[in-house]
């Protein structure tokens, strides 16, 4: 009896504060197709977060580049747009996020974020950059 060997490849994984779907491909063809869809931005990803403070606008686009900070290699920061030269350059990488307010609370806001690009810590960095860090975020939060 011949055993069939399958290789499983994890395509997308959310860790830390994010809870979401883990996409696993059963074979190399599926993995390649899903990877291509993600690269070509054909997959929409939405995240819910409770952020500090009250948003002034009910929806909008956050458009700051993201780069590594000098102090801590894991930490990122938002920088004003100029050009994109990589996360270790002074200009950082292009990062764009959409947001929609779902509900206002007592000095907090439930927000649906939709990253257009997919940078490390993008939503966490962007929410901090606009003055509304995600509640419970020990790296980028203020509380």
């Amino acid at each position: 009896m011949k055993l069939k060997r399958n290789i499983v490849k994890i395509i997308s994984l959310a860790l830390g504060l994010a809870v979401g779907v883990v996409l696993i491909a059963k074979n190399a063809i599926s993995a390649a197709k899903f990877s291509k869809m993600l690269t070509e931005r054909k997959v929409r990803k939405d995240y819910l977060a409770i952020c500090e403070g009250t948003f002034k606008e009910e929806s909008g686009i956050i458009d700051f580049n993201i780069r590594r900070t000098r102090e801590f290699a894991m930490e990122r920061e938002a920088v004003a747009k100029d050009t994109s030269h990589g996360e270790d350059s002074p200009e950082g990488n292009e990062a764009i996020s959409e947001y929609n307010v779902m509900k206002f609370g007592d000095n907090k806001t439930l927000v649906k974020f939709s990253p257009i690009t997919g940078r490390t810590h993008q939503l966490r960095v962007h929410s901090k950059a606009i003055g509304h860090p995600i509640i419970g975020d020990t790296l980028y939060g203020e509380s």
Side-chain angles (χ1 to χ4, degrees):
M1 182 168 130
K2 186 176 178 182
L3 294 176
K4 185 177 179 184
R5 295 183 66 190
N6 287 328
I7 297 174
V8 175
K9 181 175 179 181
I10 296 176
I11 307 297
S12 179
L13 177 63
L15 299 173
L17 293 173
V19 177
V21 175
V22 177
L23 183 59
I24 300 174
K26 274 181 77 174
N27 56 53
I29 293 170
S30 295
K33 286 181 180 182
F34 282 125
S35 292
K36 183 178 180 192
M37 288 171 63
L38 289 169
T39 301
E40 293 174 351
R41 299 180 184 157
K42 292 183 177 179
V43 177
R44 181 177 173 94
K45 296 181 265 181
D46 295 326
Y47 299 84
L48 293 176
I50 300 173
C51 296
E52 294 181 11
T54 303
F55 280 59
K56 292 177 183 164
E57 302 292 329
E58 290 196 20
S59 64
I61 295 176
I62 307 168
D63 191 5
F64 292 106
N65 283 359
I66 292 178
R67 67 178 177 199
R68 292 180 192 267
T69 62
R70 300 273 184 239
E71 297 81 34
F72 181 50
M74 191 62 173
E75 189 176 6
R76 287 0 185 223
E77 64 185 353
V79 291
K81 285 277 188 195
D82 184 18
T83 55
S84 183
H85 297 287
E87 67 179 11
D88 292 321
S89 77
E91 294 84 13
N93 275 331
E94 178 183 43
I96 303 168
S97 303
E98 294 178 351
Y99 72 87
N100 288 287
V101 169
M102 306 303 289
K103 186 175 183 178
F104 292 103
D106 183 28
N107 199 35
K108 57 188 169 223
T109 307
L110 175 63
V111 182
K112 179 176 80 170
F113 287 106
S114 303
I116 305 303
T117 54
R119 304 291 173 222
T120 301
H121 300 181
Q122 178 173 320
L123 301 178
R124 298 166 69 190
V125 171
H126 276 170
S127 62
K128 178 182 179 181
I130 62 170
H132 300 287
I134 296 171
I135 292 175
D137 187 341
T138 57
L139 185 58
Y140 299 102
E142 294 177 12
S143 297

